[in-house]
């Protein structure tokens, strides 16, 4: 099968098929849908090597994330890949595992392979360096975490609001010894969520005590250790907020291992609406992030930069949502 076969099945010209496969937005939506349907029916596979040589760029995006085991990132990349596939593009998933050295290697790989774009959740706000990508002319969208030196396209969640929603809910439920398990300060998401949480509690009768804050890595094991430390303190909390999904897993494990009941002995509000939070008993209250929307918007930004790189950077901020379940309802 070749591009002429696709054009014949779709009832359009070969040039129109080429424009659709190259992600151009100048094709009528109904016509573009016919082309994609014809591609599916014929089983046509574009010659990416030839296209890359002609355009001096590959048909691949890099998704550089800090923790591929975190469902937040896999969900975002799934949404990103869905849009990419519709436009004849592929996505290479790169896991830095929170290591700057790995991040630098993946950035150099993206440059060497002349990738069509990069979506990155950076390892560090202060130390991550995206300048080589920009110098190489590769479109970049920064998602989830801020990079202090970067001023281009970004998509974030309002993390200050996320922390505030958790704190206000726990105060409304009558809890007064409220704790927070947070990640490293160089990760902007956890820092902003903690700030929003602290600010909200400062307006109530029981401000956040320094002894009620535990910082750790962003792994389930870190959340478990931090939760055990809080529970073994002289004045343990009656409620806790965890600032990312893996930390929520760890905190839940520690509470269960201690033989405590939620919410009677301690309340829990986590982050991210992962499947397990809806399956356990009691269900876990969470701050839900618009993961799929973030991935889809990142894809659309990359596509727009592929056709025009001269427009002003876009800075998109999405709202989180509090989902209340049994782990944090009012105690009996």
């Amino acid at each position: 099968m070749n591009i002429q076969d696709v054009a014949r099945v779709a009832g359009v010209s070969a040039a129109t098929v080429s424009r659709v496969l190259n992600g151009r937005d100048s094709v009528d939506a109904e016509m573009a849908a016919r082309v994609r349907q014809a591609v599916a029916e014929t089983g046509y596979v574009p010659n990416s090597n030839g296209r890359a040589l002609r355009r001096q760029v590959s048909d691949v995006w890099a998704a550089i994330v800090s923790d591929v085991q975190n469902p937040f990132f896999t969900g975002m990349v799934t949404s990103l890949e869905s849009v990419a596939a519709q436009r004849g593009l592929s996505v290479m998933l790169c896991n830095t595992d929170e290591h700057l050295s790995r991040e630098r290697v993946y950035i150099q790989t993206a440059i060497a392979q002349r990738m069509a774009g990069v979506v990155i959740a950076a390892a560090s706000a202060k130390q991550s360096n995206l300048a080589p990508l920009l110098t190489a002319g590769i479109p970049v969208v920064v998602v989830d975490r801020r990079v202090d030196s970067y001023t281009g396209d970004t998509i974030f969640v309002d993390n200050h609001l996320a922390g505030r929603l958790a704190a206000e809910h726990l105060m409304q439920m009558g809890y007064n010894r409220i704790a927070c398990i947070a990640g490293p300060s160089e990760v902007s998401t956890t820092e902003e969520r903690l700030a929003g949480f602290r600010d909200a509690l400062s307006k109530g009768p029981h401000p956040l005590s320094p002894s009620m804050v535990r910082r750790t890595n962003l792994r389930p094991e870190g959340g478990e250790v931090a939760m055990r430390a809080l529970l073994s303190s002289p004045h343990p909390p009656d409620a806790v907020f965890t600032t990312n999904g893996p930390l929520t897993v760890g905190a839940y494990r520690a509470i269960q291992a201690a033989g405590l009941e939620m919410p009677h002995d301690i309340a829990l509000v986590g982050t991210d609406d992962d499947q397990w939070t809806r399956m356990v008993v009691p269900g876990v209250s969470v701050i839900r992030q618009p993961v799929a929307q973030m991935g889809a918007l990142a894809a659309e930004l990359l596509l727009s930069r592929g056709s025009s790189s001269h427009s002003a950077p876009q800075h998109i901020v999405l709202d989180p949502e509090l989902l209340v379940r049994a782990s944090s309802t009012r105690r009996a």
Side-chain angles (χ1 to χ4, degrees):
M1 289 293 173
N2 55 39
I3 197 168
Q4 285 77 22
D5 296 317
V6 176
R8 187 177 62 257
V9 171
V12 299
S13 68
T16 297
V17 174
S18 178
R19 287 198 298 274
V20 172
L21 294 179
N22 283 315
R24 305 283 175 81
D25 54 11
S26 58
V27 181
D28 175 77
E30 186 274 332
M31 190 177 294
R34 292 209 321 262
V35 170
R36 288 191 283 270
Q37 179 63 31
V39 169
E41 290 177 4
T42 60
Y44 173 67
V45 178
N47 185 337
S48 59
N49 289 333
R51 290 164 65 189
L53 287 172
R54 290 193 299 273
R55 292 161 40 230
Q56 294 296 299
V57 66
S58 75
D59 290 322
V60 180
W61 289 340
I64 303 175
V65 302
S66 56
D67 181 9
V68 75
Q69 296 185 71
N70 185 339
F72 170 86
F73 291 118
T74 52
M76 184 196 68
V77 172
T78 297
S79 181
L80 175 78
E81 189 174 35
S82 177
V83 177
Q86 293 173 19
R87 300 301 185 96
L89 296 162
S90 300
V91 176
M92 183 179 79
L93 177 59
C94 309
N95 177 36
T96 68
D97 203 31
E98 305 286 358
H99 294 301
L100 282 164
S101 58
R102 289 194 192 179
E103 184 175 275
R104 285 191 288 268
V105 168
Y106 286 131
I107 287 173
Q108 289 304 318
T109 298
I111 295 169
Q113 297 295 323
R114 296 177 178 177
M115 290 190 179
V118 171
V119 174
I120 182 168
S124 172
K126 292 180 170 54
Q127 299 181 65
S128 291
N129 180 18
L130 307 185
L133 290 168
L134 304 178
T135 300
I138 296 176
V140 177
V141 179
V142 169
V143 297
D144 186 51
R145 302 175 174 189
R146 300 183 189 279
V147 177
D148 293 346
S149 60
Y150 176 77
T151 58
D153 293 327
T154 58
I155 305 174
F156 300 135
V157 171
D158 187 340
N159 291 301
H160 195 278
L161 174 60
R164 180 165 63 82
L165 288 173
E168 289 175 348
H169 166 65
L170 290 172
M171 287 192 293
Q172 289 169 1
M173 291 295 102
Y175 297 100
N176 51 52
R177 296 191 313 279
I178 304 175
C180 182
I181 298 177
S185 59
E186 62 265 25
V187 176
S188 66
T189 51
T190 191
E191 194 68 7
E192 292 166 5
R193 289 167 195 164
L194 174 59
F197 191 72
R198 180 184 285 116
D199 288 350
L201 288 181
S202 70
K203 296 177 173 61
H206 304 287
L208 183 63
S209 166
S211 65
M212 287 291 187
V213 177
R214 288 291 188 277
R215 287 194 181 274
T216 182
N217 60 40
L218 293 170
R219 308 293 189 192
E221 295 75 16
E224 194 166 0
V225 170
M227 189 72 249
R228 286 203 303 265
L230 286 168
L231 294 176
S232 63
S233 63
H235 302 286
D238 61 3
V240 64
F241 169 53
T242 52
T243 59
N244 88 337
L247 293 180
T248 307
V249 172
Y252 191 92
R253 286 179 189 166
I255 292 169
Q256 293 286 76
L260 300 177
E261 294 183 13
M262 292 176 281
H264 178 72
D265 298 316
I266 185 169
L268 174 64
V269 175
T271 300
D272 290 333
D273 187 26
D274 297 336
Q275 186 177 31
W276 74 269
T277 64
R278 288 168 262 136
M279 296 174 62
V280 295
V281 178
V284 181
S285 297
V286 295
I287 302 297
R288 178 166 62 187
Q289 302 187 81
V291 179
Q293 186 182 7
M294 179 177 285
L297 286 171
E300 295 300 334
L301 280 178
L302 283 186
L303 290 168
S304 69
R305 291 303 174 198
S307 58
S308 173
S309 60
H310 303 296
S311 58
Q314 294 195 46
H315 303 293
I316 300 171
V317 180
L318 305 174
D319 286 338
E321 178 186 5
L322 171 67
L323 299 181
V324 178
R325 300 189 179 114
S327 70
S328 66
T329 52
R330 189 178 297 275
R331 292 168 294 177

